[in-house]
Amino acid sequence: MLNARTRSRIFQVAAGIAAVSPLLVLLFVAGVLFVDAWPAFKFQGFSFFTGITWNMGNMYASNPIVHNGVEGAPGATFGILPFIVGTLGSSVIAMLIAIPISLLSAFALVYKIPHRYARWISSAVELLAGIPSVVFGLWGMVVLAPIVANQIGPWLSHFGKVIPFLAGPVGSGFGLLTSGIVLAMMVIPIITATSRDLIAQVSKLPIEGAQALGMTTYESVRHITFPLVRRGVIGAIILGWGRALGETMAVLMVSGNATNYLPTNLYSPISTMASTVAALLDGALTDFSKLSIHALALIAVTLLIITMITNLLARLLVQLGRRDVGTEA
Amino acid sequence: MYGTINHVNHAIYIANQNHGGIRTLKNKFKKASLLTVSALIGASALGASVAMVPAFAKSRVAHRDTSVVKLQETGSTLLFPLFQLWVPAYKKVAPNVQITPSGTGSGTGIQQASDGTVQIGASDAYMSTAQLQTTPGILNIPLAISAQQVMYHIPGVSKKVHLKLTGNILAQIYTGKIRYWNDPQIVKLNKGVKLPHNAIVPIHRQDASGDTFLFTQFLTDTNANWSRTVQYGTSVSWPSVPGALGAQGNQGVVQTAVNTPNSVAYVGISWLDQGLQHGLGEALLQNKAGQFLLPNTTTIKSAASAMIGKTPKDERISLIYAPGKNSYPIINYEYAIVNQKQANVATANAVKKLLDWAISPSGGNKAVFMQKVHFLPLPASIQPLSKTQINKIHG
Amino acid sequence: MDTQAESTLTIQTLPSYEMRSYRRKVKSIAIWSISFAALTFVMFIILDILLSVISKGVPGLSYNLIATQTSGIAGGLQNAILGTLLLIALSALISAPLGILAGIYIALYAPKRFGAVIRFFSEVLAGIPSIVIGYFGYMVMVLQWGMGFSALAGGISLSIIILPYIVRTTDASFRQIPKSYLEGAIALGMTPLMAMRTVLLKLATPGILTGVLLAVSIALGETAPLIYTAGWSNFDPNLQLVKNPVAYLTYVVWTYLNEPYHSAHQLAYTAALLLVMIVLVLHVLVRMLQRGSSKHA
């Protein structure tokens, strides 16, 4: 039987080893991705990010071509600008919808809804955060896409004369707008819940005081609460944005899977980086030169870097935001 | 699911809010809630294991009888409906073989059979010579003959009317040179059909697909520009046509075409009935002799008899754009992509037996199966070639 | 002319601060009204998603659903339900011990700088899109390591996704406990392990459990990392964890919705309903856990 001190030591060492696991996993995953992606970057260079043609090359040709020391199928060229635009476009639309709705909801929840109802509503919002993304995709396909094609789209296209990007044709309902709305529904609970938590931490005393002095409730919230939670709320927004950037399945189900062209209007079919990796993985593996799979890895790396930056920024801001309202030292 | 993060932090915050003031560490509420939770978790785990017991028991019992062999088939969504019909029938032939078919696209079939994650890959496209070199020992075994039709969804055009289309016109639609249904080239071929001035939405397969392979071969044979630029393959770089849609699998193509007015799509013949039922139109395609034909037993047979004589030993051959007045232009062998070397003898035998049954006129090639998917059975002259290849499979 | 004069007159006769205060009140009311509208909209969407899943999914509920396995585009979901449970169980078995230990270490033992570093990388790991993990799982575990499509490859992929959440929740649960508790216990002669077990663990348990439950509900809803690691099988999972594909519920939703068959659509809707129901149950459990531990605060 080991004595207590030794056991304590052993536990501590074991826990220490476990603590390194996230770091090791991260390094391993990132390492594999970078190694896989390197040949594609060597082959294509920076035009990878600016080209609009994704061509895995003629896989039925017998001789690979060599470019910059890397073998590829004849005709192979990889440009992911449409996927980047699809990813950014759909997530920006999502944020345009989600930010006002989430923030207004969060303030209403804290200041205007009686506590016992607010609890239920918050709970429902958090439930929305837990719903699997394929279920959002299902809703987007079955419920939303027809509405976009038949109601929302035709209505918005009336404004096409003022803003050409809103002009028709509206198309099938699968595309940029539908993807954006579905993503918005997925990030609303994130922004709402995080902001509500922050707002709820702000002391109510100065607000009540301000109201007693004649400020309207809106003014007191605008001038007292909002400055305190601003950083945290921006963090929450970026957190939601990170989620929208990396989402795969729901977008794959409603995006229309465009290839080789940039969206021409709000209803254009798109593809995102994440959905492209999911859709093309097996096909890319049939490339005898293996260059296509390297190119997919490079998409994954690009996505990884973008989401990493947004997430870290978001967490930093949320953390600082918590400090602003004094819940975390 | 970043959403839950806040949820988590919030939960923890609440869950731990109480420490400051508590003297007694064991408090009733916490205990009660912990008990409830662990009881519920325990119950669900128990439920799961109880539910799993019969499954395990079953497989163990089966193990004793004749060892159970699990086979995975994946790939071609054109062959998939046939496999769906085969699996229940084959259960009676070999009850100990559990087959999971899935329609994932021919590219996936080729890929996963090559890397050994599945035993049988299904593909409408034979593998390229370069692909064969990266995976030596891989076989392309024809199981039947199938075809592909072009379908469209044009509001106002009766489903009873079959539009006449040529490979040349389709190539121009898919490159964006022909943008509207009432383009003079289409109107000229279809006198008497009132075509609307609506933008055409071409639908293509997003996954790597044998149907793409067949369709792009047809376009390569019929349009000089296409044969120079896009060429053919299981996945090609689709020319930029704003509004064009990608879909996964033949099933996805049919669904998308049904949902999208003014669309045109290429669809494997095993999905013809589904397309027609959902109101899609079926095009008459121009063959090499200049005739406009629909795919049916006669026209597919005619094309097959013109082409199959040239089938080499490894059976990799294109049957596209056959000569002959009555030959439908897009037909092909449906391939099983199988590695000669299987994981073990039992698996190898199970695969061999299944494929033998599949190509047998009294087994999987029976008319009941073939008619439902509009395939033709493997011609008698090709049977021995496939048989020889199947015999190469070993453990 | 007349009205203009009149309105000028009114403005002049009204004391300016009252006018401003009136406008301010209207503005306040307007903004709160918009807020209510926003909140109502969110509730409406939640209801719409739930109701469409329920109304489309319920007709597919039957005993056969849990009693039979999927065959092609029809049949039941027994294989998918069991497969989902197996995948979740595996991922929890892998990530819970690792994550909880890691969380305890960085909350209690780690030097400040080191703890911050681990927390940082854990956050980075949490931010990786799940399809990237799917790519990794396929290329490395399924192909290179020869696991094939399997419960283990799927389970490990899921555990990579949920590990950071468990680390974070455990860490946070322990950090909420005042440092003085640990110090006090050690001053009384306990070893750090004993102090942790007897004093701190009990306080942190609800938080840790909440974290594990939420991690499970994340794992449950994932699709992208499983398509290329778990594969799909028409048969129930068994204890052979490698080279043996498993079924799972999210696959049914994603794939069968794409089939032009009514029976396939029905299965997809019903699978979605089951997923939502499980998420709901987990959600309620978490709520109970929070309620139970905060009632006396």
Side-chain angles (χ1 to χ4, degrees), chain B residues 2 5 8 11 18 40 84 100 274, chain C residues 72 126-127 169 260-261 285 290 296:
Chain B
Y2 307 131
I5 299 164
V8 171
N18 49 347
L40 279 166
Q84 298 271 48
T100 299
Q274 284 298 324
Chain C
T169 48
Y261 296 105
L285 275 181
Q290 294 169 354
H296 46 83

Side-chain angles (χ1 to χ4, degrees), chain C residues 6-267:
Chain C
E6 210 173 74
S7 70
T8 327
L9 194 77
T10 342
I11 288 171
Q12 276 171 350
T13 51
L14 266 176
S16 68
Y17 74 88
E18 254 178 44
M19 184 62 196
R20 232 189 295 142
S21 118
Y22 175 71
R23 241 189 278 150
R24 282 165 48 208
K25 267 191 194 128
V26 169
K27 192 175 174 189
S28 182
I29 290 168
I31 284 177
W32 287 119
S33 311
I34 299 170
S35 302
F36 277 114
L39 196 55
T40 316
F41 175 75
V42 174
M43 295 310 289
F44 170 77
I45 294 289
I46 296 172
L47 270 183
D48 189 50
I49 291 176
L50 289 181
L51 285 182
S52 43
V53 168
I54 291 170
S55 67
K56 287 178 191 296
V58 164
L61 288 178
S62 69
Y63 175 69
N64 264 343
L65 196 72
I66 50 165
T68 54
Q69 302 169 1
T70 315
S71 63
I73 41 148
L77 292 172
Q78 191 188 42
N79 47 337
I81 297 169
L82 292 178
T84 298
L85 290 177
L86 177 63
L87 286 167
I88 292 175
L90 274 177
S91 62
L93 274 179
I94 297 166
S95 58
L98 213 54
I100 293 173
L101 274 181
I104 290 176
Y105 185 82
I106 54 177
L108 300 180
Y109 299 107
K112 208 172 172 200
R113 184 71 62 79
F114 181 68
V117 167
I118 294 295
R119 251 172 236 135
F120 175 84
F121 284 110
S122 190
E123 294 303 334
V124 176
L125 187 60
I128 296 184
S130 55
I131 182 62
V132 174
I133 304 292
Y135 172 92
F136 166 83
Y138 188 41
M139 298 304 287
V140 175
M141 289 190 280
V142 172
L143 297 183
Q144 218 160 320
W145 295 352
M147 281 187 195
F149 293 130
S150 57
L152 194 59
I156 295 177
S157 299
L158 287 182
S159 64
I160 294 177
I161 288 168
I162 61 177
L163 177 68
Y165 294 92
I166 299 183
V167 173
R168 184 192 303 141
T169 48
T170 309
D171 175 29
S173 308
F174 275 99
R175 276 202 294 164
Q176 299 279 349
I177 304 170
K179 267 254 152 50
S180 57
Y181 282 41
L182 179 66
E183 284 154 10
I186 290 175
L188 287 172
M190 288 189 185
T191 66
L193 176 60
M194 277 158 72
M196 204 275 299
R197 267 179 36 197
T198 52
V199 181
L200 305 182
L201 194 57
K202 277 185 187 130
L203 289 168
T205 303
I208 296 175
L209 265 183
T210 307
V212 173
L213 282 183
L214 289 170
V216 162
S217 84
I218 291 170
L220 186 80
E222 285 292 354
T223 319
L226 292 178
I227 297 174
Y228 290 106
T229 55
W232 167 259
S233 168
N234 278 353
F235 302 94
D236 285 343
N238 57 30
L239 290 176
Q240 196 196 330
L241 295 182
V242 290
K243 298 204 167 186
N244 194 8
V246 284
Y248 50 95
L249 285 169
T250 44
Y251 178 94
V252 180
V253 183
W254 141 246
T255 315
Y256 285 27
L257 209 54
N258 228 343
E259 303 268 355
Y261 296 105
H262 182 72
S263 66
H265 287 185
Q266 188 58 64
L267 271 186

Side-chain angles (χ1 to χ4, degrees), chain A residues 45-107:
Chain A
F46 282 100
S47 65
F48 186 79
F49 307 104
T50 53
I52 61 165
T53 303
W54 173 271
N55 186 350
M56 303 205 272
N58 185 349
M59 293 178 197
Y60 281 78
S62 35
N63 292 314
I65 51 150
V66 178
H67 183 62
N68 292 339
V70 182
E71 275 192 1
T77 173
F78 302 94
I80 64 164
L81 188 63
F83 309 143
I84 296 179
V85 170
T87 308
L88 293 180
S90 58
S91 60
V92 165
I93 290 174
M95 298 320 284
L96 288 179
I97 300 169
I99 292 171
I101 291 180
S102 311
L103 294 190
L104 290 172
S105 300
F107 279 107

Side-chain angles (χ1 to χ4, degrees), chain A residues 135-151:
Chain A
V135 176
F136 280 100
L138 179 149
W139 178 78
M141 263 175 99
V142 179
V143 180
L144 184 62
I147 297 178
V148 168
N150 302 322
Q151 274 99 38

